[in-house]
């Protein structure tokens, strides 16, 4: 595999390979694009079968972060990091501190956060070595768990979709199916219930289902195998990705799909256009679930994290979604393409500005 040719495919700026024998650290940090600001993206720990897989993953994920930040209107670029190994075996203070020193060495070009298999506790170790870290605990002046903000963002995107489909930006009396009753799903249920939605819920974990039914006795449980064919108005996938595919799309009855799960479209080029042809409004996943990123980005502001500002910024997802719907209709393209176009245009425009202004201090003070 040629690393430079892989980097060239989507114009990644920088890839850093980090190794430390003492702690057993083997990590890759990928910086996709810093036009809009420092590259922010979480640290994932995964037991990749091959180093090549780790590189592919970090390149793909970091590029996704550039789009997510750009579409959300943030002054942030896209980056991501992976540590190679079995999280159950390799996690230690020494490992995270070694990783933190590499992040510090990038002087703010990359800012890390939690992702799959990393927790707030791990972030505390990273924080001992670098200030370029977000998602830090509230006790350290951070914003804590991002999930409530992710859920709020999904809810705003859902309201925008309701405005388009039903002429009213409310889920009142709408049949909303939420799959995945985890961190985000449970908050989303509360938001939908507070506006008078009829709840349909699904999870593979019986305990989680029971807890929701206790709280909302009228919620109807749906078997995970039968979610796609449910006669509901809104389907909110908040568990796994790849759930909009050749098998599920023909069964869909929902008019709106809007949830937190990443990579919902099995194949963007096939399933995005298919949803559009069927008249199903799909809220692009990285837009609907950008509330968590918007929230942690506020930790970087001068003066520190502020809940009110964060809440207001997350509400902007409503306007972003309205713009995506407008672009999708005007240009007759699927919504995920419209979102990509908005993100790409923003990066392209600011690039031009930067070539004129250039060399100034580009982040933390904007
Ligand atoms: P979580 O692990 O807390 O919850 C996931 C839930 O999905 C669990 O309850 C699990 O039992 C359930 N589940 C797994 N397989 C299922 C299946 N086949 N059918 C039904 N339920 C199933 O995760 P989370 O933090 O709530 O995140 C949910 C999704 O949103 C993930 O895809 C995540 O990547 C994405 N996301 C989360 C955040 C965040 O702030 N937490 C931000 C952006 C994106």
């Amino acid at each position: 595999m040629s690393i430079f040719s892989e980097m060239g495919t989507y114009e990644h700026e920088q890839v850093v390979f980090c190794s430390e024998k003492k702690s057993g650290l083997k990590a890759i940090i990928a910086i996709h694009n810093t036009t809009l600001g420092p590259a922010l993206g979480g640290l994932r720990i995964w037991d990749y079968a091959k180093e090549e897989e780790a590189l592919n993953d970090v390149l793909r994920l970091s590029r996704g972060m550039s789009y997510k930040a750009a579409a959300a209107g943030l002054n942030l670029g896209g980056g991501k990091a992976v540590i190679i190994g079995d999280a159950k075996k390799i996690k230690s203070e020494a490992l995270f501190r070694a990783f933190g020193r590499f992040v510090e060495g990038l002087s703010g070009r990359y800012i890390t956060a939690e992702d799959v298999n990393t927790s707030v506790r791990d972030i505390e170790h990273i924080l001992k070595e670098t200030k370029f870290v977000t998602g830090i605990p509230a006790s350290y002046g951070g914003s804590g768990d991002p999930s409530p903000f992710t859920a709020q963002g999904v809810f705003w995107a859902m309201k925008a979709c309701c405005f388009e489909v039903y002429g009213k930006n409310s889920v009142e009396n709408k049949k909303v199916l939420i799959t995945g009753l985890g961190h985000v799903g449970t908050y989303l249920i509360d938001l939908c219930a507070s506006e008078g939605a009829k709840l349909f819920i699904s999870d593979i974990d019986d305990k989680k289902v029971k807890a929701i039914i206790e709280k909302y006795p009228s919620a109807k449980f749906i078997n995970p195998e039968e979610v796609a064919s449910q006669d509901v108005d809104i389907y909110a996938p908040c568990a796994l990705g790849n759930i909009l595919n050749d098998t599920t799309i023909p069964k869909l009855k929902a008019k709106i799909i809007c949830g937190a799960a990443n990579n919902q479209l099995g194949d963007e080029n096939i399933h995005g256009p298919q949803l559009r042809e069927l008249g199903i409004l799909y809220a692009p996943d990285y837009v609907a679930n950008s509330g968590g990123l918007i929230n942690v980005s506020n930790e970087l502001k001068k003066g520190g994290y502020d809940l009110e500002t964060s809440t207001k910024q997350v509400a902007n997802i409503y306007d972003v979604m309205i713009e995506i719907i407008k672009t999708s209709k005007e240009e007759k393209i699927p919504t995920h393409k419209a979102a990509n176009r908005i993100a790409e245009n923003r990066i392209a425009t600011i690039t031009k500005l930067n070539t004129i202004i250039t060399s100034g201090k580009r982040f933390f003070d904007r």
Side-chain angles (χ1 to χ4, degrees):
M1 157 189 227
S2 157
I3 293 171
F4 281 108
S5 112
E6 290 298 312
M7 286 175 72
T9 309
Y10 293 111
E11 298 184 48
H12 281 77
E13 288 178 14
Q14 190 176 8
V15 176
V16 183
F17 291 83
C18 318
S19 166
E20 196 203 63
K21 203 171 179 187
K22 217 170 27 170
S23 59
L25 178 77
K26 276 197 253 170
I28 312 174
I29 300 171
I31 295 175
H32 173 247
N33 190 297
T34 57
T35 303
L36 299 175
L40 194 152
L43 164 65
R44 177 169 293 197
I45 303 181
W46 200 255
D47 201 4
Y48 297 98
K50 289 184 191 159
E51 286 168 8
E52 227 172 285
E53 279 177 25
L55 180 62
N56 279 333
D57 209 25
V58 79
L59 290 177
R60 180 180 63 87
L61 293 166
S62 56
R63 178 170 171 256
M65 291 307 293
S66 292
Y67 279 78
K68 190 175 198 163
L74 298 171
N75 291 321
L76 287 173
K80 203 87 183 182
V82 296
I83 291 182
I84 302 170
D86 182 347
K88 287 196 192 88
K89 294 183 189 149
I90 65 164
K91 275 191 177 199
S92 70
E93 177 181 353
L95 181 90
F96 288 113
R97 291 187 71 154
F99 175 74
R101 287 192 292 276
F102 281 104
V103 173
E104 181 67 17
L106 288 166
S107 306
R109 275 178 58 71
Y110 168 69
I111 298 170
T112 198
E114 292 96 340
D115 196 67
V116 176
N117 285 328
T118 50
S119 67
V120 172
R121 178 99 185 88
D122 306 328
I123 292 293
E124 278 182 44
H125 295 315
I126 296 173
L127 189 59
K128 289 169 193 161
E129 303 287 348
T130 181
K131 57 188 170 299
F132 302 117
V133 53
T134 56
I136 58 181
S139 53
Y140 287 78
S143 60
D145 179 13
S147 308
F149 296 90
T150 304
Q152 267 178 36
V154 173
F155 192 57
W156 282 114
M158 200 181 269
K159 283 162 89 63
C161 291
C162 284
F163 185 71
E164 170 63 20
V165 175
Y166 302 111
K168 205 175 156 198
N169 61 8
S170 163
V171 297
E172 191 180 5
N173 287 325
K174 295 285 171 279
K175 290 186 266 182
V176 184
L177 167 60
I178 295 154
T179 61
L181 312 176
H183 287 93
V184 181
T186 47
Y187 286 111
L188 185 61
I189 287 174
D190 290 342
L191 293 167
C192 291
S194 71
E195 214 174 69
K198 293 176 188 154
L199 298 176
F200 292 68
I201 56 158
S202 185
D203 200 293
I204 46 168
D205 185 336
D206 294 343
K207 275 195 214 132
K208 291 186 173 168
V209 173
K210 201 166 158 250
I212 298 293
I213 301 275
E214 265 167 29
K215 193 170 179 187
Y216 299 108
S218 62
K220 189 175 169 206
F221 170 70
I222 305 297
N223 191 312
E225 262 110 65
E226 290 162 15
V227 289
S229 57
Q230 283 311 302
D231 186 8
V232 291
D233 302 306
I234 303 162
Y235 171 25
C238 296
L240 308 173
N242 189 22
I243 36 82
L244 301 169
N245 53 44
D246 290 344
T247 316
T248 57
I249 291 179
K251 297 181 192 164
L252 291 172
K253 296 200 178 76
K255 283 266 166 270
I256 294 169
I257 296 169
C258 178
N262 279 314
N263 305 320
Q264 291 171 35
L265 295 170
D267 182 328
E268 279 195 1
N269 295 326
I270 299 170
H271 303 118
Q274 233 171 48
L275 290 172
R276 183 173 175 270
E277 276 152 30
L278 290 168
I280 297 171
L281 178 53
Y282 167 66
D285 44 19
Y286 71 79
V287 174
N289 71 21
S290 60
L293 174 68
I294 294 171
N295 185 54
V296 293
S297 76
N298 268 294
E299 290 181 14
L300 303 170
K301 292 268 163 70
K302 263 185 183 167
Y305 177 74
D306 170 45
L307 175 66
E308 202 181 319
T309 309
S310 214
T311 307
K312 275 189 199 150
Q313 284 185 350
V314 172
N316 282 341
I317 292 176
Y318 181 93
D319 295 333
V320 172
M321 193 60 223
I322 293 284
E323 193 190 342
I324 288 168
I325 294 169
K326 188 168 163 263
T327 306
S328 158
K329 287 202 303 198
E330 279 173 3
E331 302 191 22
K332 299 184 174 50
I333 54 174
T335 45
H336 78 278
K337 273 222 162 121
N340 288 354
R341 195 162 290 182
I342 288 166
E344 283 160 6
N345 281 348
R346 189 161 172 251
I347 293 171
T349 322
I350 307 293
T351 303
K352 280 184 204 134
L353 283 175
N354 268 354
T355 55
I356 299 161
I357 299 165
T358 204
S359 81
K361 205 171 159 209
R362 295 204 300 169
F363 45 86
F364 285 126
D365 52 355
R366 303 198 295 174

